[in-house]
Amino acid sequence: MKLKPDAFNYEDYETISKNGFRLYNTPIGYLPSITTVLGFTESAEKKASLESWRNALGPVKSAEVSKKATDHGTMVHLLAERFLKGEKVDEPVNGKAIPWPDMAAFNSLKLKLKLIDPIWGQEKSIYSLSLLVAGRFDCAGVYKGKPSIIDFKTSLNRLKNREEIKSYALQLAFYALAHNEMFDTDIKQGVVLMAGAGGMPQEFIFDIENELEDLMIRVDSFMAVNASKL
């Protein structure tokens, strides 16, 4: 792997919370995050399913399970970031050893991570002038020979199809669109690398152009209701 930190002039935009929305302070003003946009416009069916799950477990247990999953995802993401930077992966965090499940999940991703070469940037802020939305991507670079935006995810269950991660695909489409606008790149591939049950990683590759129409519909839907609150 080769890190090219000067490939693009990335910046880091601060974030704030306003009216329950996460906003990025970009050179053209405060813009909503892509995760805020996609979360707000999630389908009623998915929102109902999540609410049903919370009700079945109860508020305390569901919060506990959610925090555990979030902590696991955050740690695996950190380990992947360390690996791609050439840092010591198993260095303790806050004085504590890396939990075994987190290290096992990271190890399942390693072979996939080695396919990113060169790496253009990690955890970088970008925004779209055409959509007026901002965000922070996990990784940009070349994956299997193609310019790509790559996201690292975790899942307790092995996913069966792409529709289960439709929002991830739209998120990748946004990052690619924004990167292409800002840096005159030609990223057409989005990649989700997912560590999940069974010890084997899952790889989902998306054609960005196939996701742009749905992305724009979701952004338009969000703005129609919330533009005055931003």
Coordinates of all heavy atoms in Angstrom, one line a residue, residues 133-171:
V133 N -24.6 19.6 0.6 CA -24.5 18.6 1.6 C -23.0 18.3 1.8 O -22.2 18.5 0.9 CB -25.2 17.3 1.2 CG1 -25.0 16.2 2.3 CG2 -26.7 17.5 1.0
A134 N -22.7 18.0 3.1 CA -21.3 17.7 3.4 C -21.1 16.3 4.1 O -22.2 15.7 4.4 CB -20.7 18.8 4.2
G135 N -19.9 15.9 4.3 CA -19.7 14.6 5.0 C -18.2 14.3 5.1 O -17.4 15.1 4.8
R136 N -18.0 13.2 5.7 CA -16.6 12.7 6.0 C -16.5 11.3 5.5 O -17.1 10.4 6.1 CB -16.2 12.9 7.4 CG -14.7 12.7 7.8 CD -14.5 12.7 9.3 NE -15.0 13.8 9.9 CZ -14.4 15.0 10.0 NH1 -13.2 15.1 9.5 NH2 -15.0 16.0 10.7
F137 N -15.6 11.0 4.5 CA -15.5 9.7 4.0 C -14.5 8.9 4.8 O -13.6 9.5 5.4 CB -15.2 9.6 2.5 CG -13.8 10.3 2.2 CD1 -12.6 9.7 2.4 CD2 -13.8 11.6 1.6 CE1 -11.4 10.3 2.0 CE2 -12.6 12.2 1.2 CZ -11.4 11.5 1.4
D138 N -14.6 7.6 4.8 CA -13.6 6.7 5.5 C -12.3 6.6 4.7 O -11.3 6.8 5.3 CB -14.2 5.2 5.6 CG -15.3 5.1 6.7 OD1 -15.5 6.1 7.4 OD2 -15.9 4.0 6.7
C139 N -12.4 6.4 3.4 CA -11.2 6.2 2.7 C -11.4 6.5 1.2 O -12.5 6.1 0.7 CB -10.6 4.8 2.8 SG -9.1 4.4 2.0
A140 N -10.5 7.2 0.6 CA -10.5 7.4 -0.9 C -9.2 6.9 -1.5 O -8.1 7.1 -0.9 CB -10.7 8.8 -1.2
G141 N -9.3 6.2 -2.6 CA -8.1 5.7 -3.2 C -8.4 4.8 -4.4 O -9.5 4.9 -5.0
V142 N -7.5 3.9 -4.7 CA -7.7 3.0 -5.8 C -7.9 1.5 -5.2 O -7.0 1.0 -4.5 CB -6.5 3.0 -6.8 CG1 -6.7 2.0 -7.9 CG2 -6.3 4.4 -7.3
Y143 N -9.1 1.0 -5.5 CA -9.4 -0.4 -5.0 C -9.5 -1.3 -6.2 O -10.3 -1.1 -7.1 CB -10.7 -0.4 -4.2 CG -11.0 -1.7 -3.6 CD1 -10.4 -2.1 -2.4 CD2 -12.0 -2.5 -4.1 CE1 -10.7 -3.3 -1.8 CE2 -12.3 -3.7 -3.5 CZ -11.6 -4.1 -2.4 OH -11.9 -5.3 -1.8
K144 N -8.7 -2.4 -6.2 CA -8.7 -3.3 -7.4 C -8.5 -2.6 -8.7 O -9.2 -2.9 -9.7 CB -10.0 -4.2 -7.3 CG -10.1 -5.1 -6.2 CD -11.3 -6.0 -6.3 CE -11.3 -7.1 -5.2 NZ -12.5 -8.0 -5.3
G145 N -7.7 -1.6 -8.7 CA -7.3 -0.9 -9.9 C -8.3 0.2 -10.3 O -8.0 0.9 -11.4
K146 N -9.3 0.5 -9.5 CA -10.3 1.5 -9.9 C -10.4 2.6 -8.8 O -10.5 2.3 -7.6 CB -11.7 0.9 -10.1 CG -11.7 0.0 -11.3 CD -13.2 -0.5 -11.6 CE -13.3 -1.4 -12.8 NZ -14.7 -1.9 -13.0
P147 N -10.4 3.9 -9.2 CA -10.6 5.0 -8.2 C -11.9 4.7 -7.5 O -12.9 4.5 -8.1 CB -10.7 6.2 -9.1 CG -9.9 5.9 -10.3 CD -10.2 4.4 -10.6
S148 N -11.8 4.8 -6.2 CA -13.0 4.4 -5.3 C -13.1 5.2 -4.1 O -12.2 5.8 -3.6 CB -12.9 2.9 -4.9 OG -12.7 2.0 -6.1
I149 N -14.3 5.2 -3.6 CA -14.6 5.6 -2.2 C -14.9 4.4 -1.4 O -15.8 3.5 -1.9 CB -15.8 6.6 -2.1 CG1 -15.5 7.9 -2.8 CG2 -16.3 6.8 -0.7 CD1 -14.5 8.8 -2.0
I150 N -14.2 4.2 -0.3 CA -14.4 2.9 0.5 C -14.9 3.2 1.9 O -14.3 4.1 2.5 CB -13.0 2.2 0.5 CG1 -12.5 1.9 -0.9 CG2 -13.2 0.8 1.2 CD1 -11.2 2.8 -1.2
D151 N -15.9 2.4 2.3 CA -16.4 2.5 3.7 C -16.1 1.2 4.4 O -16.2 0.1 3.8 CB -17.9 2.8 3.6 CG -18.2 4.2 4.0 OD1 -17.3 5.1 4.1 OD2 -19.4 4.6 4.2
F152 N -15.8 1.3 5.7 CA -15.6 0.2 6.5 C -16.8 0.0 7.5 O -17.2 1.0 8.2 CB -14.3 0.3 7.3 CG -13.1 0.7 6.5 CD1 -12.3 1.8 6.9 CD2 -12.8 0.1 5.4 CE1 -11.3 2.2 6.2 CE2 -11.7 0.5 4.6 CZ -10.9 1.6 5.0
K153 N -17.4 -1.1 7.5 CA -18.6 -1.3 8.3 C -18.5 -2.6 9.1 O -17.7 -3.5 8.7 CB -19.9 -1.4 7.4 CG -20.1 -0.2 6.5 CD -20.4 1.1 7.3 CE -20.8 2.2 6.4 NZ -21.0 3.5 7.1
T154 N -19.4 -2.8 10.1 CA -19.5 -4.0 10.8 C -21.0 -4.4 10.9 O -21.8 -3.5 10.8 CB -18.9 -3.9 12.3 OG1 -19.6 -2.8 12.9 CG2 -17.4 -3.6 12.3
S155 N -21.2 -5.7 11.0 CA -22.6 -6.2 11.1 C -22.6 -7.4 12.0 O -21.7 -8.3 11.9 CB -23.1 -6.5 9.7 OG -24.4 -7.1 9.8
L156 N -23.6 -7.6 12.8 CA -23.7 -8.8 13.6 C -24.2 -9.9 12.8 O -24.0 -11.1 13.2 CB -24.7 -8.5 14.8 CG -24.3 -7.4 15.8 CD1 -25.4 -7.2 16.9 CD2 -23.0 -7.7 16.4
N157 N -24.8 -9.7 11.7 CA -25.4 -10.7 10.8 C -24.7 -10.6 9.4 O -24.3 -9.6 9.0 CB -26.9 -10.6 10.7 CG -27.6 -10.6 12.1 OD1 -27.4 -11.6 12.8 ND2 -28.4 -9.6 12.4
R158 N -24.7 -11.8 8.8 CA -24.2 -11.8 7.4 C -25.3 -11.3 6.5 O -26.4 -11.8 6.4 CB -23.7 -13.2 7.0 CG -22.9 -13.2 5.7 CD -22.1 -14.5 5.6 NE -21.3 -14.4 4.4 CZ -20.1 -13.8 4.3 NH1 -19.6 -13.2 5.4 NH2 -19.4 -13.8 3.2
L159 N -25.0 -10.2 5.7 CA -26.0 -9.6 4.9 C -26.1 -10.5 3.6 O -25.1 -11.0 3.1 CB -25.6 -8.2 4.5 CG -25.4 -7.3 5.7 CD1 -25.1 -5.8 5.3 CD2 -26.7 -7.3 6.6
K160 N -27.3 -10.5 3.1 CA -27.6 -11.3 1.9 C -27.7 -10.6 0.6 O -27.5 -11.2 -0.5 CB -28.9 -12.1 2.2 CG -28.9 -13.0 3.4 CD -30.2 -13.7 3.6 CE -30.2 -14.6 4.8 NZ -31.5 -15.3 5.0
N161 N -28.0 -9.3 0.6 CA -28.2 -8.6 -0.6 C -27.9 -7.1 -0.4 O -27.8 -6.6 0.7 CB -29.6 -8.8 -1.2 CG -30.7 -8.3 -0.3 OD1 -30.7 -7.1 0.0 ND2 -31.5 -9.2 0.2
R162 N -27.8 -6.4 -1.6 CA -27.4 -5.0 -1.6 C -28.5 -4.1 -1.0 O -28.2 -3.0 -0.5 CB -27.1 -4.6 -3.0 CG -25.8 -5.2 -3.6 CD -25.8 -5.1 -5.1 NE -24.6 -5.6 -5.6 CZ -23.5 -4.9 -5.9 NH1 -23.6 -3.6 -5.7 NH2 -22.4 -5.4 -6.3
E163 N -29.8 -4.5 -1.1 CA -30.8 -3.7 -0.7 C -30.8 -3.5 0.8 O -31.3 -2.5 1.3 CB -32.2 -4.3 -1.1 CG -32.5 -4.1 -2.5 CD -32.5 -2.7 -3.0 OE1 -33.1 -1.8 -2.3 OE2 -31.8 -2.4 -4.0
E164 N -30.1 -4.4 1.5 CA -30.0 -4.2 3.0 C -29.1 -3.1 3.4 O -29.2 -2.6 4.5 CB -29.5 -5.5 3.6 CG -30.4 -6.7 3.5 CD -29.9 -8.0 4.1 OE1 -29.1 -8.7 3.4 OE2 -30.2 -8.2 5.3
I165 N -28.3 -2.7 2.4 CA -27.3 -1.5 2.7 C -27.5 -0.4 1.7 O -26.5 0.2 1.3 CB -25.9 -2.0 2.8 CG1 -25.5 -2.8 1.5 CG2 -25.6 -2.9 4.0 CD1 -24.0 -3.1 1.4
K166 N -28.7 -0.2 1.3 CA -29.0 0.8 0.3 C -28.5 2.2 0.7 O -28.0 3.0 -0.1 CB -30.5 0.9 0.0 CG -31.0 2.0 -1.0 CD -30.4 1.8 -2.4 CE -31.0 2.8 -3.3 NZ -30.4 2.6 -4.7
S167 N -28.7 2.5 2.0 CA -28.2 3.8 2.5 C -26.7 4.0 2.4 O -26.2 5.1 2.2 CB -28.7 4.1 3.9 OG -30.1 4.3 4.0
Y168 N -26.0 2.9 2.6 CA -24.6 2.9 2.5 C -24.2 3.2 1.0 O -23.3 4.0 0.8 CB -23.9 1.6 2.8 CG -24.1 1.2 4.3 CD1 -23.8 -0.2 4.7 CD2 -24.4 2.1 5.3 CE1 -23.9 -0.5 6.0 CE2 -24.5 1.7 6.6 CZ -24.3 0.4 7.0 OH -24.4 0.0 8.3
A169 N -24.9 2.7 0.1 CA -24.6 2.9 -1.3 C -24.9 4.4 -1.7 O -24.1 5.0 -2.4 CB -25.5 2.0 -2.2
L170 N -25.9 5.0 -1.1 CA -26.2 6.4 -1.4 C -25.2 7.3 -0.7 O -24.8 8.3 -1.2 CB -27.6 6.7 -0.9 CG -28.8 6.0 -1.5 CD1 -30.1 6.5 -0.9 CD2 -28.7 6.2 -3.0
Q171 N -24.7 6.9 0.4 CA -23.6 7.6 1.1 C -22.4 7.6 0.3 O -21.7 8.7 0.1 CB -23.4 7.0 2.5 CG -22.6 7.8 3.5 CD -22.5 7.2 4.8 OE1 -23.2 6.2 5.1 NE2 -21.7 7.7 5.7

